[in-house]
Amino acid sequence: MATSYRDYTSPNTQFTYDMKNNLFFKKDDRNFIDALGIAQLNTLGNSSLLDIYLTTGNVVEPHIHQNAAELVYCIAGEAIVSLINPFTNQLLNYHIKPRQVANIPQGWWHYEMALTDDTHLLAIFDAPVPEVIFGSDILRLTPASVWAHTYCLDEAKVQETFAPLTQTVVIGPPVGCQQQGPLPDRAASSQYPYYGYSSHLPDSYGYYDTNYMQQGGYGQHPVYQQQTSYPQYGTNPSHTGYPPQPVYPSY
């Protein structure tokens, strides 16, 4: 807990908050994220929360928190929490059930996939305003020419592959995705080290035909595609996040 110099006699001091009033992102009525940061509860120390609801096969997309570690606690359902250990270059997959946790150190690449409907996760951060960089933004905002030149790829194929990424995904797959076939069986592949209680991921998953909706910055920003800086979970006068980024020709 950080040392606080707040005037606790002030009538503006907040000790409680209803997270339903701060929607961070909504894919549909069963896949959404509520958030709590110091902008919502001004007596918080070095802590904040994401309240995550997912159905089978939905994924909180690959991302990093550059200023915070994350502890993922499973309240209901089941999920795979995957992270890359940058010291060993291993992709680690942790299957968590209710009352179990997975920890992601600060700045590590990670993502979460629901294995059952009505999966409910609580993500706990050791920062009052955790920052985030989403994988979909890295993919879509880096010019295709840079990907092609750096990794000796076909630029036209890179452009075609990433063309559907027109905005930050947050919870994937996007509504209307036409992928075919089952989810990958990570436990059966030596490429993916696996830790947990189940032998495989679910065989299939469905989508919901509701409109794709999203709100960034703990409900502060209406749409991601209009942002020129990386989103944050809240507002803090002393912590404004990344400076505006240049507009790339391939947006």
Side-chain angles (χ1 to χ4, degrees):
M1 179 65 70
T3 300
S4 175
Y5 300 97
R6 169 167 296 280
D7 178 7
Y8 288 100
T9 66
S10 169
N12 296 322
T13 302
Q14 301 166 322
F15 296 102
T16 186
Y17 186 80
D18 188 341
M19 292 178 65
K20 294 194 297 293
N21 294 328
N22 194 41
L23 176 68
F24 170 62
F25 178 86
K26 182 175 182 180
K27 176 180 176 179
D28 55 48
D29 288 341
R30 301 179 68 192
N31 294 276
F32 61 91
I33 303 172
D34 293 330
L36 177 73
I38 198 169
Q40 290 74 46
L41 188 62
N42 60 24
T43 55
L44 280 178
N46 284 334
S47 61
S48 50
L49 302 175
L50 290 181
D51 201 18
I52 303 168
Y53 296 84
L54 300 170
T55 55
T56 305
N58 277 273
V59 183
V60 179
E61 69 160 308
H63 61 284
I64 66 170
H65 302 288
Q66 61 269 44
N67 74 328
E70 176 181 352
L71 182 65
V72 181
Y73 176 76
C74 184
I75 298 172
E78 301 179 35
I80 293 287
V81 179
S82 300
L83 59 149
I84 292 178
N85 183 332
F87 296 95
T88 64
N89 286 330
Q90 277 188 298
L91 174 62
L92 306 174
N93 301 294
Y94 295 99
H95 181 175
I96 59 174
K97 296 181 178 181
R99 300 176 67 184
Q100 297 176 340
V101 302
N103 189 54
I104 302 103
Q106 178 178 336
W108 287 26
W109 187 251
H110 65 284
Y111 49 95
E112 298 90 13
M113 178 184 293
L115 301 183
T116 68
D117 287 341
D118 300 317
T119 291
H120 184 189
L121 306 174
L122 188 66
I124 306 163
F125 302 93
D126 59 353
V129 187
E131 298 169 345
V132 62
I133 300 174
F134 288 107
S136 55
D137 288 336
I138 293 175
L139 295 176
R140 69 189 181 90
L141 300 180
T142 303
S145 59
V146 173
W147 292 118
H149 175 74
T150 305
Y151 303 112
C152 195
L153 303 174
D154 185 311
E155 183 175 346
K157 290 182 179 179
V158 173
Q159 289 179 329
E160 179 183 2
T161 299
F162 293 153
L165 295 177
T166 60
Q167 58 188 359
T168 311
V169 173
V170 186
I171 297 177
V175 171
C177 175
Q178 299 300 315
Q179 285 181 336
Q180 301 295 321
L183 292 172
D185 186 346
R186 300 182 187 180
S189 171
S190 60
Q191 182 180 0
Y192 300 104
Y194 185 81
Y195 305 85
Y197 303 90
S198 178
S199 61
H200 63 278
L201 295 179
D203 293 332
S204 62
Y205 52 94
Y207 305 102
Y208 297 88
D209 295 326
T210 55
N211 292 329
Y212 188 88
M213 299 164 52
Q214 62 183 30
Q215 297 181 7
Y218 273 2
Q220 303 300 316
H221 306 289
V223 289
Y224 277 100
Q225 57 265 43
Q226 295 177 354
Q227 284 185 231
T228 56
S229 63
Y230 290 114
Q232 294 187 86
Y233 299 137
T235 56
N236 185 335
S238 64
H239 209 17
T240 56
Y242 277 53
Q245 303 297 306
V247 177
Y248 294 111
S250 62
Y251 275 23

